[in-house]
Amino acid sequence: VGSSGSTASLEDHYTANLSGYEGGSGDGPVQTQGAQSGGSPGNGQPVVRRRRGRGGGNSGQPADETYKLERSRQSARECRARKKLRYQYLDDIILERERANMVLRSELEKYVSWCSELDKGRLPEGWNEFIHAPPVKQELNPEEY
């Protein structure tokens, strides 16, 4: 590109190849005239400005495609791992609440049997310990519900 004649033919070739990109929605560069990118208005040199965005001009390269596929696979693996953890957490909560329900059911059965014994005029087993024991104050934890 030492002589001015070859530079002019390169400019013509470059300008002809860029004519379809002016104001279009393609992914290639845009040819403009102005003070941007080192060019000055009216000096005869085209000024190339790249479009912004994620869809760059390298979308056809296989390396880029394999990178995107690998990133997608990794994202899917992470999503499945999060889902698995979420279901394990929910299973743990279910087991804990089922155990609490079993304890409450057995306590309810005990009190129902005590009521039937008291209705018959008899004192049930454990009644004296229950009556003389200090009251147990249980606070409800709002996070559990």
Side-chain angles (χ1 to χ4, degrees), residues 72-90:
S72 176
R73 289 183 189 119
Q74 181 64 27
S75 176
R77 277 192 292 270
E78 291 170 1
C79 181
R80 286 190 295 271
R82 284 191 305 268
K83 185 177 180 181
K84 183 178 178 182
L85 285 174
R86 184 170 51 247
Y87 277 101
Q88 287 176 348
Y89 171 73
L90 291 173

mmCIF file of all heavy atoms in Angstrom, residues 72-90:
data_model
loop_
_atom_site.group_PDB
_atom_site.id
_atom_site.type_symbol
_atom_site.label_atom_id
_atom_site.label_comp_id
_atom_site.label_asym_id
_atom_site.label_seq_id
_atom_site.Cartn_x
_atom_site.Cartn_y
_atom_site.Cartn_z
ATOM 1 N N SER A 72 -24.334 -22.670 27.483
ATOM 2 C CA SER A 72 -25.724 -23.093 27.638
ATOM 3 C C SER A 72 -25.805 -24.387 28.443
ATOM 4 O O SER A 72 -26.665 -24.536 29.317
ATOM 5 C CB SER A 72 -26.359 -23.285 26.271
ATOM 6 O OG SER A 72 -27.663 -23.768 26.399
ATOM 7 N N ARG A 73 -24.913 -25.328 28.156
ATOM 8 C CA ARG A 73 -24.895 -26.589 28.913
ATOM 9 C C ARG A 73 -24.582 -26.347 30.381
ATOM 10 O O ARG A 73 -25.196 -26.939 31.271
ATOM 11 C CB ARG A 73 -23.862 -27.540 28.318
ATOM 12 C CG ARG A 73 -24.257 -28.101 26.986
ATOM 13 C CD ARG A 73 -23.211 -29.100 26.492
ATOM 14 N NE ARG A 73 -23.492 -29.473 25.133
ATOM 15 C CZ ARG A 73 -22.677 -29.260 24.096
ATOM 16 N NH1 ARG A 73 -21.503 -28.687 24.298
ATOM 17 N NH2 ARG A 73 -23.017 -29.625 22.893
ATOM 18 N N GLN A 74 -23.613 -25.464 30.634
ATOM 19 C CA GLN A 74 -23.252 -25.144 32.015
ATOM 20 C C GLN A 74 -24.427 -24.498 32.742
ATOM 21 O O GLN A 74 -24.718 -24.824 33.890
ATOM 22 C CB GLN A 74 -22.031 -24.220 32.046
ATOM 23 C CG GLN A 74 -21.568 -23.837 33.432
ATOM 24 C CD GLN A 74 -21.075 -25.030 34.219
ATOM 25 O OE1 GLN A 74 -20.614 -26.022 33.672
ATOM 26 N NE2 GLN A 74 -21.188 -24.952 35.534
ATOM 27 N N SER A 75 -25.110 -23.601 32.076
ATOM 28 C CA SER A 75 -26.272 -22.955 32.666
ATOM 29 C C SER A 75 -27.355 -23.977 32.977
ATOM 30 O O SER A 75 -27.990 -23.919 34.039
ATOM 31 C CB SER A 75 -26.795 -21.889 31.711
ATOM 32 O OG SER A 75 -27.962 -21.304 32.214
ATOM 33 N N ALA A 76 -27.568 -24.928 32.084
ATOM 34 C CA ALA A 76 -28.571 -25.970 32.311
ATOM 35 C C ALA A 76 -28.175 -26.853 33.496
ATOM 36 O O ALA A 76 -29.031 -27.218 34.316
ATOM 37 C CB ALA A 76 -28.741 -26.810 31.054
ATOM 38 N N ARG A 77 -26.877 -27.185 33.614
ATOM 39 C CA ARG A 77 -26.412 -27.982 34.763
ATOM 40 C C ARG A 77 -26.672 -27.244 36.065
ATOM 41 O O ARG A 77 -27.141 -27.835 37.045
ATOM 42 C CB ARG A 77 -24.917 -28.280 34.623
ATOM 43 C CG ARG A 77 -24.600 -29.469 33.742
ATOM 44 C CD ARG A 77 -23.143 -29.882 33.881
ATOM 45 N NE ARG A 77 -22.224 -28.900 33.337
ATOM 46 C CZ ARG A 77 -21.791 -28.883 32.087
ATOM 47 N NH1 ARG A 77 -22.185 -29.804 31.234
ATOM 48 N NH2 ARG A 77 -20.961 -27.951 31.671
ATOM 49 N N GLU A 78 -26.354 -25.955 36.091
ATOM 50 C CA GLU A 78 -26.565 -25.166 37.301
ATOM 51 C C GLU A 78 -28.049 -25.077 37.637
ATOM 52 O O GLU A 78 -28.435 -25.150 38.807
ATOM 53 C CB GLU A 78 -25.971 -23.777 37.138
ATOM 54 C CG GLU A 78 -24.460 -23.779 37.090
ATOM 55 C CD GLU A 78 -23.876 -22.431 36.695
ATOM 56 O OE1 GLU A 78 -24.655 -21.478 36.478
ATOM 57 O OE2 GLU A 78 -22.640 -22.337 36.615
ATOM 58 N N CYS A 79 -28.882 -24.939 36.635
ATOM 59 C CA CYS A 79 -30.329 -24.871 36.846
ATOM 60 C C CYS A 79 -30.836 -26.186 37.442
ATOM 61 O O CYS A 79 -31.644 -26.178 38.377
ATOM 62 C CB CYS A 79 -31.039 -24.567 35.529
ATOM 63 S SG CYS A 79 -32.821 -24.442 35.677
ATOM 64 N N ARG A 80 -30.374 -27.307 36.902
ATOM 65 C CA ARG A 80 -30.804 -28.605 37.447
ATOM 66 C C ARG A 80 -30.321 -28.786 38.879
ATOM 67 O O ARG A 80 -31.035 -29.340 39.714
ATOM 68 C CB ARG A 80 -30.287 -29.731 36.554
ATOM 69 C CG ARG A 80 -31.042 -29.857 35.243
ATOM 70 C CD ARG A 80 -30.657 -31.126 34.502
ATOM 71 N NE ARG A 80 -29.275 -31.145 34.074
ATOM 72 C CZ ARG A 80 -28.812 -30.690 32.922
ATOM 73 N NH1 ARG A 80 -29.654 -30.163 32.047
ATOM 74 N NH2 ARG A 80 -27.531 -30.756 32.621
ATOM 75 N N ALA A 81 -29.102 -28.321 39.180
ATOM 76 C CA ALA A 81 -28.585 -28.437 40.550
ATOM 77 C C ALA A 81 -29.415 -27.598 41.511
ATOM 78 O O ALA A 81 -29.735 -28.049 42.623
ATOM 79 C CB ALA A 81 -27.118 -28.011 40.596
ATOM 80 N N ARG A 82 -29.770 -26.371 41.089
ATOM 81 C CA ARG A 82 -30.622 -25.529 41.951
ATOM 82 C C ARG A 82 -31.986 -26.171 42.170
ATOM 83 O O ARG A 82 -32.517 -26.160 43.284
ATOM 84 C CB ARG A 82 -30.794 -24.143 41.332
ATOM 85 C CG ARG A 82 -29.599 -23.253 41.466
ATOM 86 C CD ARG A 82 -29.935 -21.821 41.071
ATOM 87 N NE ARG A 82 -30.501 -21.712 39.740
ATOM 88 C CZ ARG A 82 -29.794 -21.502 38.634
ATOM 89 N NH1 ARG A 82 -28.486 -21.371 38.707
ATOM 90 N NH2 ARG A 82 -30.393 -21.396 37.464
ATOM 91 N N LYS A 83 -32.536 -26.746 41.129
ATOM 92 C CA LYS A 83 -33.842 -27.403 41.236
ATOM 93 C C LYS A 83 -33.765 -28.584 42.202
ATOM 94 O O LYS A 83 -34.664 -28.781 43.033
ATOM 95 C CB LYS A 83 -34.285 -27.874 39.850
ATOM 96 C CG LYS A 83 -35.658 -28.467 39.799
ATOM 97 C CD LYS A 83 -36.023 -28.825 38.364
ATOM 98 C CE LYS A 83 -37.399 -29.431 38.255
ATOM 99 N NZ LYS A 83 -37.723 -29.802 36.869
ATOM 100 N N LYS A 84 -32.691 -29.370 42.096
ATOM 101 C CA LYS A 84 -32.513 -30.518 42.976
ATOM 102 C C LYS A 84 -32.416 -30.070 44.438
ATOM 103 O O LYS A 84 -33.048 -30.666 45.321
ATOM 104 C CB LYS A 84 -31.258 -31.290 42.575
ATOM 105 C CG LYS A 84 -31.024 -32.538 43.363
ATOM 106 C CD LYS A 84 -29.791 -33.265 42.859
ATOM 107 C CE LYS A 84 -29.506 -34.509 43.670
ATOM 108 N NZ LYS A 84 -28.294 -35.193 43.207
ATOM 109 N N LEU A 85 -31.645 -29.024 44.695
ATOM 110 C CA LEU A 85 -31.519 -28.505 46.055
ATOM 111 C C LEU A 85 -32.855 -27.993 46.582
ATOM 112 O O LEU A 85 -33.201 -28.206 47.742
ATOM 113 C CB LEU A 85 -30.481 -27.383 46.107
ATOM 114 C CG LEU A 85 -29.030 -27.806 46.036
ATOM 115 C CD1 LEU A 85 -28.128 -26.583 45.957
ATOM 116 C CD2 LEU A 85 -28.674 -28.642 47.241
ATOM 117 N N ARG A 86 -33.606 -27.327 45.717
ATOM 118 C CA ARG A 86 -34.905 -26.797 46.133
ATOM 119 C C ARG A 86 -35.852 -27.936 46.522
ATOM 120 O O ARG A 86 -36.517 -27.877 47.543
ATOM 121 C CB ARG A 86 -35.507 -25.960 45.008
ATOM 122 C CG ARG A 86 -36.798 -25.286 45.362
ATOM 123 C CD ARG A 86 -37.258 -24.272 44.333
ATOM 124 N NE ARG A 86 -37.283 -24.797 42.970
ATOM 125 C CZ ARG A 86 -36.494 -24.396 41.987
ATOM 126 N NH1 ARG A 86 -35.600 -23.446 42.199
ATOM 127 N NH2 ARG A 86 -36.595 -24.912 40.785
ATOM 128 N N TYR A 87 -35.874 -29.021 45.744
ATOM 129 C CA TYR A 87 -36.736 -30.155 46.065
ATOM 130 C C TYR A 87 -36.259 -30.878 47.316
ATOM 131 O O TYR A 87 -37.080 -31.353 48.114
ATOM 132 C CB TYR A 87 -36.833 -31.108 44.876
ATOM 133 C CG TYR A 87 -37.864 -30.662 43.876
ATOM 134 C CD1 TYR A 87 -37.488 -30.007 42.718
ATOM 135 C CD2 TYR A 87 -39.215 -30.859 44.110
ATOM 136 C CE1 TYR A 87 -38.435 -29.575 41.808
ATOM 137 C CE2 TYR A 87 -40.174 -30.428 43.203
ATOM 138 C CZ TYR A 87 -39.770 -29.790 42.057
ATOM 139 O OH TYR A 87 -40.714 -29.352 41.165
ATOM 140 N N GLN A 88 -34.952 -30.989 47.519
ATOM 141 C CA GLN A 88 -34.447 -31.592 48.759
ATOM 142 C C GLN A 88 -34.867 -30.773 49.964
ATOM 143 O O GLN A 88 -35.278 -31.320 50.992
ATOM 144 C CB GLN A 88 -32.925 -31.705 48.714
ATOM 145 C CG GLN A 88 -32.423 -32.787 47.799
ATOM 146 C CD GLN A 88 -30.909 -32.799 47.700
ATOM 147 O OE1 GLN A 88 -30.228 -31.876 48.144
ATOM 148 N NE2 GLN A 88 -30.365 -33.838 47.092
ATOM 149 N N TYR A 89 -34.766 -29.447 49.845
ATOM 150 C CA TYR A 89 -35.174 -28.556 50.926
ATOM 151 C C TYR A 89 -36.659 -28.734 51.231
ATOM 152 O O TYR A 89 -37.061 -28.852 52.393
ATOM 153 C CB TYR A 89 -34.857 -27.116 50.530
ATOM 154 C CG TYR A 89 -35.420 -26.073 51.449
ATOM 155 C CD1 TYR A 89 -34.881 -25.864 52.715
ATOM 156 C CD2 TYR A 89 -36.495 -25.279 51.065
ATOM 157 C CE1 TYR A 89 -35.398 -24.903 53.569
ATOM 158 C CE2 TYR A 89 -37.014 -24.314 51.899
ATOM 159 C CZ TYR A 89 -36.461 -24.135 53.143
ATOM 160 O OH TYR A 89 -36.985 -23.186 53.980
ATOM 161 N N LEU A 90 -37.482 -28.790 50.187
ATOM 162 C CA LEU A 90 -38.915 -28.972 50.398
ATOM 163 C C LEU A 90 -39.218 -30.341 51.011
ATOM 164 O O LEU A 90 -40.099 -30.450 51.877
ATOM 165 C CB LEU A 90 -39.667 -28.797 49.076
ATOM 166 C CG LEU A 90 -39.675 -27.381 48.518
ATOM 167 C CD1 LEU A 90 -40.303 -27.370 47.121
ATOM 168 C CD2 LEU A 90 -40.406 -26.436 49.435
#
